[in-house]
Amino acid sequence: MALPFRLARTAVFAVVCLGLGVAAHVLGGSSVPAPAMVVALGLAFGAAYPLAGRERSLALILPLLAGLQVLLHLLFSLSHTVSPAAPALHLHSGLVPGLGMLAAHGWAVGLTALWLARGEAALWGLLRRLAVRLLVIVRLPLLVTPFSASPGTPEPRVLRSAVLRHVVSRRGPPRAVAA
């Protein structure tokens, strides 16, 4: 069960990373060839697989996603064919991105990392709750809860209210002080 779960989490991360990189380049006026997308998917999958064994936080997801976006940016920039009109349409020329491309990648990486981190937390929280529920269902006859009382247990005494000795009451109007 662990291997299919790990593969599914890795595939989701790789597809999100690839989709983010391709969308940024297409919106920037460039094209991404299919062989470059296949290589990029393999690169993202290979980078995410060793880390998909347990829950990851934003502190690990953000740098991994940012590093992969830099690698994918370089791969896509090297792989697309340059036409005479392409440098005028694309936000950068060559391998050095422009400020607009850096800002677009930065915002996209930050928001996607937050989205993936929240998804991780929700997924692992759901799995923990399911595990607890399954344990309760499986061990139901053996389970002793604090609310189950044996027949010989006496009822607890009713507690009497105690008069508080040092109470400062601040309700109501202030008392009149004689001068």
Side-chain angles (χ1 to χ4, degrees):
M1 172 91 179
L3 183 64
F5 182 64
R6 186 177 201 166
L7 288 174
R9 292 179 62 228
T10 304
V12 166
F13 181 84
V15 167
V16 166
C17 192
L18 177 69
L20 176 63
V22 169
H25 275 269
V26 170
L27 288 174
S30 181
S31 63
V32 180
M37 282 195 260
V38 171
V39 170
L41 184 64
L43 181 69
F45 193 89
Y49 182 75
L51 302 173
R54 60 188 174 103
E55 182 177 2
R56 300 297 174 184
S57 67
L58 182 64
L60 185 72
I61 292 172
L62 183 65
L64 177 65
L65 192 60
L68 280 170
Q69 286 304 306
V70 168
L71 289 175
L72 295 183
H73 177 83
L74 292 173
L75 175 70
F76 294 159
S77 294
L78 290 172
S79 66
H80 79 278
T81 58
V82 179
S83 67
L89 296 175
H90 200 52
L91 292 177
H92 69 86
S93 59
L95 296 177
V96 180
L99 186 59
M101 181 68 78
L102 284 175
H105 274 293
W107 274 101
V109 164
L111 292 175
T112 306
L114 282 172
W115 177 60
L116 286 170
R118 295 289 300 209
E120 277 279 299
L123 174 68
W124 285 98
L126 175 69
L127 290 175
R128 281 190 283 274
R129 285 191 296 275
L130 283 174
V132 168
R133 298 271 167 99
L134 287 174
L135 284 175
V136 168
I137 290 171
V138 169
R139 296 176 29 190
L140 190 60
L142 304 175
L143 188 66
V144 177
T145 64
F147 301 110
S148 62
S150 63
T153 306
E155 287 289 320
R157 296 184 322 165
V158 177
L159 298 177
R160 293 178 293 165
S161 62
V163 177
L164 300 175
R165 297 169 92 191
H166 305 286
V167 175
V168 178
S169 176
R170 302 218 186 261
R171 291 187 65 169
R175 294 184 184 161
V177 178

